[in-house]
Amino acid sequence: MISDEDRERVRAATDLVALVQETVPLQPRNKEFWGCCPFHGEKTPSFHIIPATQVWHCFGCGEGGDCFTYVMKRENLSFPESIRYLADRAGIEIHDDYDGRPRGSKRSRIIEVCEESSQFFHTMLMRGKDNRPRAYFASRGMGGAVCKRYRLGFAPGRGSLVAHLCSKGFTAQEMIDANVAIRRDRGNLADRFYDRVMFPIFDELGRCIAFGGRIMGDGQPKYLNTAETALFHKKRNLYGFNWAKDQIVARAEAVVVEGYTDAIACYEAGIGNVVATLGTALTEHHVKTLTRFAKKIIYLFDGDAAGQKAAERAIQFIESDAIDLRCVVLPDGNDPMEFITAHGGDALRERLDASEPLMEFVFRKLEERSDVSTPGGRTRALEEALRLIYPLRASYMIDSYYLKIADRVGLDVENVRSAAPRVFREVEREEAERERRAGARERYQASQALGRDRTPTAQVAPASREPYDEVPLDAYGVAPVPPAPEDDPWRTTGDVPASATGAGAAAPVVLTELERRSLTSERELLTLLTAHPDAFRAYAERIVDIDWVDPRHEAIAWAVLATPEGATPVEAMDAARAVCPEAATLVSSGRISSTSAHPTDVNIKFLLDTLELFTVRRRLRSAQGKLRQGSGLTREERRELTIQASQGAARMRELERELEGVADPFAEGLVPTGGSAASA
């Protein structure tokens, strides 16, 4: 368990701006930094950081939080893992405590297990009695020097690795966490990799974090990778990136292949800017990693049907970060290693230099697969083409894609445009069904894991995304678990309990339009309050009169105002976190400080006037509703409600006049101006 002191040491040592700038270019704007969101594709910056409070928010996708939530999302880590990740980055030593004995962090211990396993596998290859793995590598042109250069190895299995790691002091759980060992049915520990040649997988710093094992003869699976661990994620990591990064930067170009041996063959042939995917197609995370260093990505596919399918899947990234995405498909079904063996590295470099834009290649192959001279062939080609561009359906270039398809399949562009909505709806339904099934499975697995390994409450981080105009029901102290849908196949199969599909999910509160406007203003107020706590102290009496939509907002506001005079924004954020774990997410979503030209005190008064106006409107609406229903009201109750309504209407008109005299401080109108507030 990580102590609160260690967590806060890591937070204090982390500059959020510097952390984000590792992957996202940021530009200063007033006292904030803005850039394009790293978590969804966009061309206009909507992602901002408030340095004073060290929080971030994206107005495009709604994500937000602090340094920990940022790393959790970027690196796909749990909350404790994000603390350890940032501790490693800052050079801070964090210790876990197992059975009262301090040990290194889980991440560092996994690296140590993988490094020791890699050395063991390499020794078994180079010095072991079994000659088969050496013969296997030699038959593929990889002699002893190549095996040493890439630390290739051999896994004999039969418990030999487990015995070796035990002798080095590693625990069974550490081996399981690193996924180099598994438990059998009777609880016995066994080697995960057996009778396979081994390719260690390194992170960007050259540390071993995982393995790929290939069977030497017949059998399945042909390749066996390390499963997902705290360090290794096949959708994020790339084989050979540690060797290729400098060459990628030098050429501003990355070449992506589909296998370890293909990457090694390219390196040995003098083509150093090559990485390999790890049993997956090219993913969004891969593209984002490579675009940090390259302006062009060339996908080098095997010349077979699988390579063609991989090219089609990659089309979704055609517009990612203005990257030039291209492809090369080798002839005669060759993979890169076979092509280099037959023709040499120079011939492959020539093909890479003559790479074809991915979109052109995919559409050309699509035309070749279908006989567009017949109505049936045209229909099939049109359907396939529209499915291919489904990920680009919101692109401003969509009309040009329709025109390309029309030219390829021999139809008018209007035919293509009219058919697109139907095909897109079909694909959307199919994706939603796949996501629903996957979500049900993940929730069930998570619920099972919670029963085995509960994380202490202090270690659980809030979800990084909360809709801007919603409040979760558990914010009011109630969090019911909704039942699974009647048509959920998991209900009938018996694989998942009927309640699993809703495990841990709290439905959002249904808000009126007026309440949503109030909620937006509340979050704007919190953003300003945490950055300027002293400026708000004179307005404490006005804050008392606000009817808050989200009770968490009220708790944060009073926690910040309870700090001593002269408190810094960092101290204000500490006070906010003490009363609300989601504080970083909630206070990061305001933008008034970056869009307003007014002084801070003017913005404060504007927000307080707006929130009071919304409060008065809601009270007035409530009083009017009671009067309309009031058959059961006494004369005194009716008189009191009438007086409240009259006073409320007068105060509402007064606030409307004050707001009309202030220029809208929001460039994009996230909070209504005086005029719009009055008409709410």
Side-chain angles (χ1 to χ4, degrees):
M1 178 177 176
I2 300 173
S3 68
D4 293 345
E5 291 78 10
D6 279 344
R7 183 189 67 229
E8 293 309 313
R9 279 198 305 134
V10 173
R11 189 196 305 278
T14 302
D15 178 7
L16 183 59
V17 174
L19 175 66
V20 174
Q21 280 182 323
E22 292 177 358
T23 53
V24 179
L26 298 174
Q27 296 296 327
R29 186 189 301 174
N30 295 334
K31 295 182 180 180
E32 300 179 359
F33 286 82
W34 287 73
C36 291
C37 180
F39 306 127
H40 78 284
E42 63 178 9
K43 300 186 182 300
T44 302
S46 61
F47 176 96
H48 81 140
I49 297 173
I50 307 173
T53 51
Q54 291 289 293
V55 294
W56 62 276
H57 183 81
C58 175
F59 294 99
C61 63
E63 300 284 356
D66 58 10
C67 59
F68 299 124
T69 51
Y70 178 80
V71 168
M72 287 167 64
K73 185 162 182 63
R74 189 183 78 177
E75 304 295 333
N76 193 26
L77 303 176
S78 67
F79 182 52
E81 289 167 352
S82 73
I83 299 175
R84 298 185 185 102
Y85 177 96
L86 291 175
D88 290 343
R89 179 179 177 274
I92 295 174
E93 187 173 358
I94 298 289
H95 290 91
D96 288 332
D97 193 6
Y98 294 101
D99 301 325
R101 296 179 294 112
R103 304 179 65 86
S105 73
K106 181 178 178 180
R107 290 175 62 86
S108 66
R109 292 296 285 178
I110 289 177
I111 291 173
E112 290 171 18
V113 171
C114 290
E115 284 285 343
E116 188 62 39
S117 300
S118 175
Q119 293 296 344
F120 174 80
F121 292 145
H122 185 62
T123 300
M124 291 297 100
L125 171 66
M126 304 303 289
R127 302 180 188 175
K129 296 179 181 179
D130 194 333
N131 192 52
R132 292 178 303 141
R134 291 188 288 272
Y136 174 86
F137 282 124
S139 69
R140 282 153 180 77
M142 292 185 282
V146 173
C147 292
K148 289 179 182 178
R149 198 150 38 240
Y150 304 102
R151 209 194 298 174
L152 306 181
F154 170 62
R158 302 184 181 88
S160 57
L161 176 63
V162 168
H164 175 76
L165 293 176
C166 285
S167 72
K168 296 295 182 179
F170 295 103
T171 67
Q173 189 58 51
E174 288 168 344
M175 298 180 215
I176 293 171
D177 288 341
N179 201 228
V180 297
I182 57 175
R183 285 201 184 278
R184 296 298 187 192
D185 293 339
R186 296 183 179 180
N188 297 324
L189 208 60
D191 293 357
R192 171 172 168 79
F193 298 99
Y194 168 75
D195 205 32
R196 291 176 180 269
V197 291
M198 301 299 293
F199 297 84
I201 299 167
F202 302 95
D203 66 8
E204 188 174 332
L205 301 178
R207 303 174 299 184
C208 182
I209 58 172
F211 297 93
R214 190 193 191 285
I215 199 164
M216 291 179 289
D218 297 330
Q220 293 296 328
K222 182 179 179 181
Y223 282 98
L224 180 65
N225 284 331
T226 297
E228 299 282 300
T229 70
L231 290 178
F232 174 66
H233 309 281
K234 62 185 180 180
K235 292 183 178 180
R236 292 176 177 269
N237 294 107
L238 290 161
Y239 179 77
F241 188 61
N242 54 307
W243 300 307
K245 183 170 65 174
D246 290 344
Q247 287 290 320
I248 291 173
V249 172
R251 296 185 64 92
E253 172 188 287
V255 179
V256 180
V257 297
E258 296 184 296
Y260 315 112
T261 56
D262 292 334
I264 292 173
C266 289
Y267 302 147
E268 293 299 304
I271 304 173
N273 58 325
V274 177
V275 294
T277 53
L278 298 164
T280 70
L282 195 67
T283 70
E284 180 181 4
H285 297 298
H286 294 151
V287 173
K288 286 183 176 179
T289 296
L290 294 174
T291 51
R292 290 162 52 191
F293 307 97
K295 297 299 182 185
K296 180 193 295 184
I297 298 176
I298 303 175
Y299 210 160
L300 184 56
F301 301 103
D302 293 356
D304 55 16
Q308 167 69 17
K309 288 294 183 184
E312 292 176 358
R313 287 193 295 268
I315 204 171
Q316 64 186 294
F317 309 117
I318 199 74
E319 296 177 357
S320 298
D321 299 314
I323 194 72
D324 181 9
L325 193 57
R326 308 176 76 86
C327 71
V328 171
V329 176
L330 298 175
D332 304 322
N334 285 169
D335 61 32
M337 187 174 191
E338 292 168 338
F339 185 87
I340 289 172
T341 301
H343 305 285
D346 290 341
L348 181 58
R349 174 55 70 187
E350 289 176 4
R351 287 185 173 268
L352 293 173
D353 291 340
S355 58
E356 184 177 9
L358 182 65
M359 184 72 80
E360 294 297 327
F361 166 79
V362 169
F363 281 161
R364 178 169 56 80
K365 289 294 182 181
L366 192 65
E367 184 181 2
E368 292 174 2
R369 287 208 304 266
S370 302
D371 182 4
V372 296
S373 64
T374 66
R378 282 195 299 272
T379 301
R380 184 169 62 254
L382 175 60
E383 178 97 7
E384 291 184 13
L386 289 172
R387 283 177 169 270
L388 283 174
I389 67 167
Y390 170 78
L392 308 174
R393 63 196 179 283
S395 169
Y396 68 94
M397 295 181 61
I398 190 66
D399 280 335
S400 69
Y401 299 145
Y402 290 156
L403 186 58
K404 286 179 182 290
I405 294 172
D407 290 341
R408 292 288 186 184
V409 302
L411 290 170
D412 293 333
V413 69
E414 287 305 319
N415 298 133
V416 179
R417 187 178 289 110
S418 62
R422 174 186 59 79
V423 177
F424 291 166
R425 282 194 299 271
E426 289 177 2
V427 178
E428 188 173 19
R429 281 195 297 269
E430 292 167 6
E431 286 193 348
E433 177 62 18
R434 283 195 296 269
E435 289 177 5
R436 188 179 67 82
R437 290 173 180 269
R441 186 177 295 107
E442 288 175 4
R443 286 191 292 272
Y444 173 62
Q445 291 169 347
S447 67
Q448 296 298 300
L450 278 174
R452 296 190 299 268
D453 181 21
R454 292 188 177 274
T455 304
T457 303
Q459 301 297 323
V460 178
S464 64
R465 182 177 192 273
E466 181 163 318
Y468 199 78
D469 58 354
E470 289 184 5
V471 183
L473 197 55
D474 56 7
Y476 298 88
V478 183
V481 177
E486 291 296 333
D487 62 346
D488 192 333
W490 288 94
R491 294 177 65 105
T492 57
T493 61
D495 291 337
V496 182
S499 62
T501 54
V509 175
V510 178
L511 301 179
T512 66
E513 178 62 24
L514 188 55
E515 286 170 334
R516 283 197 292 272
R517 290 169 177 259
S518 299
L519 188 67
T520 301
S521 298
E522 288 176 17
R523 294 186 181 173
E524 290 287 345
L525 184 73
L526 292 184
T527 301
L528 208 57
L529 173 61
T530 50
H532 307 280
D534 282 348
F536 275 85
R537 299 189 193 280
Y539 298 97
E541 290 185 4
R542 293 202 64 187
I543 293 176
V544 170
D545 290 334
I546 296 173
D547 287 348
W548 298 80
V549 175
D550 191 331
R552 298 173 300 173
H553 296 171
E554 184 175 15
I556 291 172
W558 288 115
V560 173
L561 289 172
T563 58
E565 191 167 350
T568 65
V570 172
E571 291 168 336
M573 278 303 303
D574 289 341
R577 289 190 188 93
V579 297
C580 179
E582 304 93 345
T585 301
L586 298 176
V587 309
S588 64
S589 55
R591 65 191 310 171
I592 191 170
S593 59
S594 63
T595 59
S596 175
H598 300 316
T600 299
D601 59 342
V602 174
N603 289 331
I604 291 173
K605 187 175 183 304
F606 176 87
L607 286 173
L608 289 173
D609 285 346
T610 301
L611 280 168
E612 185 182 350
L613 174 62
F614 289 148
T615 296
V616 170
R617 279 193 161 278
R618 286 156 57 201
R619 290 175 181 173
L620 180 60
R621 182 175 294 176
S622 175
Q624 291 171 338
K626 290 178 181 178
L627 286 170
R628 284 193 296 269
Q629 299 171 4
S631 56
L633 294 175
T634 65
R635 178 177 298 180
E636 184 61 29
E637 288 172 337
R638 182 178 293 277
R639 178 176 176 277
E640 183 65 27
L641 284 172
T642 302
I643 293 173
Q644 289 178 11
S646 177
Q647 292 174 340
R651 179 58 178 161
M652 182 179 69
R653 288 191 293 271
E654 181 181 346
L655 288 167
E656 287 171 352
R657 285 194 297 271
E658 291 190 24
L659 286 168
E660 286 171 356
V662 180
D664 183 4
F666 296 94
E668 297 182 25
L670 286 180
V671 175
T673 63
S676 60
S679 62

